[in-house]
Amino acid sequence: MAAAPPYALVWLLFVFAWISNYLVRMGFAALLPPVIAELGLSYAAAGVLASSFFGAYALMQVPAGVLGDRFGRRRVLLIGLWAGAAASVATGFAVSFATLLAARLATGASQGCLFSNDRAIIASVTPPDRLALGQAVSFMGPGLGITAGLLLGGLLGERMSWRLAMAVVALPTLLAALLIARLVPSPAAAPEAEPLPVRLARVVARGDLWWLALVGLCVMWVQYVLATWAPLLFMEAGVAELGRAGLYSSFQGLAGVGGLLLGGWMADRAVQAGLGRRVVLLATLVALAASTALLAAVVRRGPSPA
């Protein structure tokens, strides 16, 4: 039997998987201007498309986790990657708001299979003293993916139709699925000592999990509202080229990568110092609230006179 790959390799493969997912996710955000123009969509309709993606993504988390526990986490994760790539290609064939909505719903549901299962796989191969760093490194993918998706989506939108661009950004997802299938070991299935309703009831009764979910909701809301609308905001502020608007928008992802690495390192150090990870979490939430308030003030003020 072949030896399991080092945990660092597993981290990096999931970094790539997340980047590939975000190429599909944020590439569409960068391509929103030509999509809106071709299909005659309102900003409200574009907002519905973004909301439908994230609604399907969120609703898929629990079912995907349950399916991963039952049928294998790697298997469910791989199905999600393949289906997400297919849904991205299908997005390029949309001819109306309704068909585009269906494609985005399918994309969101497919990508929901990754987060519910990759965290457990990473935890199973990572040494206990590096869990926070492992989660941070492996979750660099969203930050890098936001950067790559907004930048690449804008560049592709200047060189080809948005329909073809959605097929191009799906290719890395297929490569990620092939690499994970080949190199990431399938973790042992958890023993089902209790029926599913009992386990779900125990999870639902955990108040601390609900608080963490609320915190995550607030953080993700800020991140994705900004990432989704940033290219349009820059174009409305006077940036004429779609590629340049995507470039400016992509800086958010690079900043996120630095924050993840720093936060993971600080959390592990805080535990070693006897402070706990919650201290770092609280500090980052305060910083997020302050920076969001500053951003709101800048947007409200409007563009500076030339």
Side-chain angles (χ1 to χ4, degrees), residues 5-256:
Y7 62 85
L9 175 60
V10 177
W11 292 0
L12 293 177
L13 287 175
F14 281 112
V15 168
F16 180 58
W18 277 106
I19 291 174
S20 68
N21 260 10
Y22 270 71
L23 287 176
V24 172
R25 187 182 307 188
M26 303 317 302
F28 182 77
L31 295 166
L32 264 181
V35 172
I36 289 173
E38 180 178 329
L39 298 181
L41 303 178
S42 65
Y43 283 2
V48 169
L49 291 175
S51 299
S52 65
F53 171 92
F54 290 111
Y57 179 83
L59 291 174
M60 191 61 188
Q61 298 298 316
V62 172
V66 171
L67 291 172
D69 288 342
R70 176 66 179 83
F71 298 105
R73 299 181 180 111
R74 190 183 65 165
R75 179 180 302 169
V76 173
L77 184 150
L78 289 172
I79 292 173
L81 289 174
W82 292 325
S88 179
V89 174
T91 301
F93 287 93
V95 295
S96 64
F97 172 76
T99 53
L100 194 57
L101 177 62
R104 295 308 290 170
L105 285 169
T107 308
S110 301
Q111 292 197 356
C113 295
L114 179 58
F115 189 75
S116 298
N117 292 286
D118 80 314
R119 302 295 92 189
I121 294 175
I122 291 165
S124 71
V125 301
T126 302
D129 62 333
R130 298 191 178 183
L131 277 178
L133 182 60
Q135 296 291 336
V137 170
S138 61
F139 212 51
M140 285 169 48
L144 295 173
I146 288 175
T147 300
L150 291 171
L151 179 58
L152 182 62
L155 293 175
L156 290 176
E158 290 184 341
R159 290 161 175 78
M160 62 184 66
S161 72
W162 66 268
R163 299 178 182 278
L164 180 58
M166 289 305 299
V168 172
V169 297
L171 296 178
T173 302
L174 295 177
L175 177 58
L178 290 174
L179 290 174
I180 290 173
R182 176 68 180 84
L183 299 174
V184 174
S186 182
E192 292 192 22
E194 297 176 317
L196 176 59
V198 175
R199 288 184 286 135
L200 284 176
R202 180 176 291 110
V203 171
V204 170
R206 288 283 301 273
D208 53 348
L209 293 181
W210 284 104
W211 280 111
L212 285 174
L214 180 61
V215 169
L217 184 151
C218 296
V219 173
M220 293 296 101
W221 183 82
V222 172
Q223 178 181 358
Y224 290 118
V225 167
L226 179 58
T228 299
W229 293 103
L232 275 171
L233 289 175
F234 277 114
M235 296 193 76
E236 289 189 351
V239 177
E241 300 87 2
L242 186 61
R244 194 151 60 97
L247 171 63
Y248 295 156
S249 303
S250 70
F251 294 155
Q252 176 190 354
L254 292 177

